[in-house]
Amino acid sequence: MIQIQNTSHFAGIRIIGDVHSFRTLEEAIHKIVGEEGEYPIYESARLRALDFTKEFQSSCTGDREIVCIHHGLASEVVRSNQIAQQENVYIGFQSLWPEALFFTMVMNDFIKLYEKKVKHPAIDIVVSTIRQFQSGVYLCMEEMLSKQTYMRIINMIHRNNARFNQYITQYVDYLNTLYVELDKEKRKLNMILLVKRLSVKGRDYQEYKFKIMEEAREQNCSHDEIEVGKQTLSKIIW
């Protein structure tokens, strides 16, 4: 089972689980986003989503967090079954809120595309696995925000019917940079603005898109190949 928690300074979320749970979610993500070229207008978003799965892969090889949590069994059960181990070993990693929100929101697009290919999407295990992860992320938002702000954000995500086709995903890196510069309280206060920037391709996004497209034309390459500065996670006050 995967657990999702807010980090102490609200820089992002902490994702914890066992290897099996991580592998199951990783496989579901790969299935939901499709094969290379299957959804051409979503290729940039697909690649960004697959980048997110690399964190699961790194965690499974021990390159991220190792967390030991008490298994919760009563002492008499432990004694009667001669259980020597008092804790279960979990793995985990942290993700900045802009990154986690983009992934969570873009999954809605891919779920709609995937549901066209399966007979019973309402009970499909791949869809259920992704939805469970999304629910965990939403719960973290609910815990850190007022009820009114949380409902405004949920309505914004679904009412705006955000679409991430032909999305300039470097914009997420830009939002990561802006977000980590805020202090703890401002991160909470700016959550609704963050969701708006991701879900509505407003002036800020359009200006950033123009910049990336210009660089791509100058370098005679795809906009996906333009590299931008990324946050050094070890230096973030999580």
Side-chain angles (χ1 to χ4, degrees):
M1 181 177 178
I2 289 178
Q3 302 175 38
I4 306 176
Q5 308 164 346
N6 279 301
T7 59
S8 58
H9 288 83
F10 301 127
I13 56 174
R14 188 180 185 214
I15 304 165
I16 303 170
D18 56 35
V19 172
H20 174 72
S21 298
F22 271 32
R23 296 289 191 202
T24 299
L25 180 55
E26 182 189 344
E27 289 172 8
I29 295 167
H30 276 271
K31 288 179 180 178
I32 213 87
V33 301
E35 299 294 331
E36 181 180 356
E38 187 172 351
Y39 310 119
I41 62 174
Y42 279 96
E43 190 60 22
S44 296
R46 173 184 171 275
L47 292 173
R48 188 81 187 201
L50 291 179
D51 279 345
F52 197 74
T53 68
K54 292 177 183 177
E55 291 298 318
F56 291 102
Q57 296 167 7
S58 296
S59 298
C60 289
T61 57
D63 289 340
R64 295 295 183 268
E65 288 187 71
I66 301 293
V67 185
C68 294
I69 302 176
H70 194 276
H71 49 52
L73 293 173
S75 55
E76 57 269 23
V77 175
V78 173
R79 286 196 300 271
S80 62
N81 289 276
Q82 298 181 335
I83 300 173
Q85 186 174 324
Q86 297 296 315
E87 297 177 317
N88 291 330
V89 178
Y90 293 91
I91 53 179
F93 66 94
Q94 297 176 125
S95 176
L96 291 170
W97 263 118
E99 193 75 49
L101 276 173
F102 172 80
F103 175 81
T104 301
M105 293 164 67
V106 80
M107 284 297 103
N108 291 327
D109 284 31
F110 283 113
I111 286 172
K112 288 180 180 179
L113 294 168
Y114 176 83
E115 286 178 338
K116 296 175 182 178
K117 302 190 296 183
V118 296
K119 290 184 178 180
H120 304 290
I123 57 172
D124 187 88
I125 188 63
V126 171
V127 175
S128 298
T129 300
I130 300 296
R131 289 298 190 202
Q132 186 175 27
F133 181 85
Q134 289 177 309
S135 295
V137 175
Y138 291 148
L139 181 59
C140 286
M141 279 199 295
E142 186 176 15
E143 290 173 352
M144 70 185 284
L145 303 171
S146 68
K147 183 177 181 180
Q148 182 181 14
T149 301
Y150 172 70
M151 291 309 302
R152 285 180 65 191
I153 285 176
I154 295 302
N155 289 334
M156 186 184 299
I157 290 173
H158 295 284
R159 184 178 64 243
N160 287 336
N161 207 22
R163 288 290 177 268
F164 293 93
N165 54 303
Q166 298 179 324
Y167 200 82
I168 301 297
T169 57
Q170 293 93 331
Y171 185 63
V172 181
D173 295 305
Y174 169 67
L175 294 180
N176 282 336
T177 301
L178 295 180
Y179 192 74
V180 297
E181 293 300 321
L182 302 174
D183 61 29
K184 181 177 180 179
E185 289 306 311
K186 286 184 179 179
R187 286 169 179 171
K188 291 170 63 176
L189 293 172
N190 276 266
M191 183 61 69
I192 194 165
L193 176 60
L194 173 60
V195 173
K196 183 177 181 180
R197 282 176 152 175
L198 284 168
S199 61
V200 179
K201 297 174 183 175
R203 181 177 178 179
D204 189 52
Y205 170 82
Q206 297 299 336
E207 289 177 352
Y208 193 85
K209 178 181 178 179
F210 179 79
K211 174 185 172 183
I212 294 296
M213 297 303 288
E214 282 294 297
E215 288 188 36
R217 277 190 284 271
E218 289 175 5
Q219 298 182 31
N220 193 28
C221 65
S222 166
H223 64 80
D224 289 327
E225 298 177 61
I226 299 299
E227 296 184 0
V228 297
K230 295 181 182 290
Q231 284 295 315
T232 304
L233 299 184
S234 60
K235 296 182 179 180
I236 296 170
I237 301 175
W238 286 94

